[in-house]
Amino acid sequence: MDLETILSVVTTYALPVLAALIIVYVGLKLSEKIASLIEANLNKAPTSDPSVSRFLASLCRYFLMAVTAIAALTIIGIDTSSMAGMILGLSAAAAFVLQYPLGNLAAGIMLNLFRPFKVGDEIEVNGVKGVVLGITLSSTRLKTRDNVEIILGNGNIWGGIIRNHNALGQRRLDMDFGVSYDADLDLAIETILSVAKSDPRIHAEPAPWAKVVKLNDSSVDIQLRAWCDYDDLRSLKVSISQPMKTAFDSAGIGIPYPHIVKIRKDLGNPTPTTS
């Protein structure tokens, strides 16, 4: 074999193969490096899920490896158009099958970026209310007040209306108290405000407010609006009624209650009369 033939073979086969091997080597190293960086950055989030981070990093690595393989085969001279089409088809099918899980992952990223709530907050979304136990990229765990665990896909949370009950720290308590129509309304309002101001859980600013809000069939409703810390709202709501009743009794203010009236009718047959 003469030198010209050897140079022709090397030029035709050896150099493309060598270039393909270099591309494969560099591509594998880059895919591992990029996947490791993605996993490490995802794990830096306070509420990250290591298994989800590893899964996303693996997807990226396999994608880069597929691109590397196609590039290497193209350098050698192998037609990869059909392979690229197959990969695109498989990718489209996978995206369709995984659209709900991927939607949850995308929503989880948005929740971690914008942080509309955090662990320990009490939230309400899509009619579900509970204290946040944990947030991952795919789902959020809640605990209801009666100790039931609820797991919501992040896609359902991010796409709905989120009510964060304790994000602002303070909450307003609204409670109605019914008094009788013959009660002194000014005295009743003064009594309600006195009880509210004597409770250390109720804030002095904004000051408690009480006004007549409704005239019912048998009572005049006076509403109390008082501000308190979120942590005190539930206990205040269930405990303020008793001192309010005691104060009403001391001031001689009547509280109406329903009465049941029974009417008896004589259904006997009347005695017929004749003219």
Side-chain angles (χ1 to χ4, degrees):
M1 183 179 294
D2 57 12
L3 181 59
E4 184 178 352
T5 304
I6 295 174
L7 291 176
S8 177
V9 172
V10 170
T11 303
T12 304
Y13 299 104
L15 289 180
V17 170
L18 179 61
L21 291 175
I22 293 174
I23 289 175
V24 170
Y25 176 79
V26 174
L28 291 178
K29 290 295 183 181
L30 282 177
S31 63
E32 291 291 339
K33 183 67 174 178
I34 293 174
S36 298
L37 289 174
I38 291 176
E39 184 176 358
N41 285 317
L42 289 176
N43 285 332
K44 288 180 180 179
T47 57
S48 65
D49 187 340
S51 61
V52 176
S53 301
R54 195 177 306 113
F55 172 72
L56 293 177
S58 297
L59 286 181
C60 179
R61 182 172 64 253
Y62 292 142
F63 174 77
L64 293 175
M65 289 172 61
V67 172
T68 299
I70 292 175
L73 292 174
T74 302
I75 290 293
I76 295 175
I78 299 176
D79 184 12
T80 58
S81 58
S82 59
M83 185 180 299
M86 182 179 64
I87 292 176
L88 290 175
L90 291 175
S91 300
F96 178 78
V97 172
L98 298 175
Q99 58 181 333
Y100 183 73
L102 291 177
N104 283 333
L105 291 176
I109 292 173
M110 300 299 289
L111 289 175
N112 280 278
L113 284 176
F114 292 98
R115 306 303 295 271
F117 54 83
K118 63 183 184 300
V119 174
D121 287 350
E122 185 174 24
I123 67 171
E124 185 175 354
V125 58
N126 293 334
V128 178
K129 182 178 181 181
V131 177
V132 179
L133 296 179
I135 310 168
T136 68
L137 286 178
S138 59
S139 63
T140 297
R141 293 169 53 238
L142 305 179
K143 183 181 73 172
T144 64
R145 287 289 176 177
D146 55 348
N147 205 36
V148 176
E149 183 181 45
I150 298 176
I151 300 176
L152 292 173
N154 286 334
N156 294 326
I157 297 176
W158 185 252
I161 298 176
I162 303 172
R163 300 183 63 187
N164 192 328
H165 290 274
N166 58 308
L168 302 180
Q170 297 185 77
R171 287 289 305 275
R172 194 182 76 186
L173 170 70
D174 294 354
M175 287 194 69
D176 291 349
F177 299 94
V179 299
S180 60
Y181 268 87
D182 58 359
D184 186 333
L185 295 181
D186 292 332
L187 177 60
I189 291 174
E190 181 182 344
T191 301
I192 291 174
L193 291 176
S194 176
V195 173
K197 291 176 181 178
S198 65
D199 195 310
R201 295 168 296 183
I202 293 179
H203 297 172
E205 291 294 336
W209 175 98
K211 297 290 183 182
V212 174
V213 293
K214 189 174 183 180
L215 301 177
N216 275 321
D217 293 337
S218 59
S219 68
V220 178
D221 287 356
I222 302 174
Q223 185 173 92
L224 168 67
R225 298 178 184 175
W227 289 88
C228 64
D229 292 339
Y230 168 77
D231 293 336
D232 294 330
L233 179 65
R234 192 172 300 273
S235 63
L236 184 62
K237 189 172 184 178
V238 299
S239 64
I240 198 172
S241 296
Q242 183 172 340
M244 199 68 70
K245 171 65 166 60
T246 302
F248 280 164
D249 291 344
S250 299
I253 299 171
I255 300 177
Y257 54 90
H259 294 74
I260 299 176
V261 179
K262 295 183 178 180
I263 301 176
R264 299 182 62 184
K265 295 182 178 180
D266 186 359
L267 299 180
N269 293 326
T271 302
T273 61
T274 58
S275 57

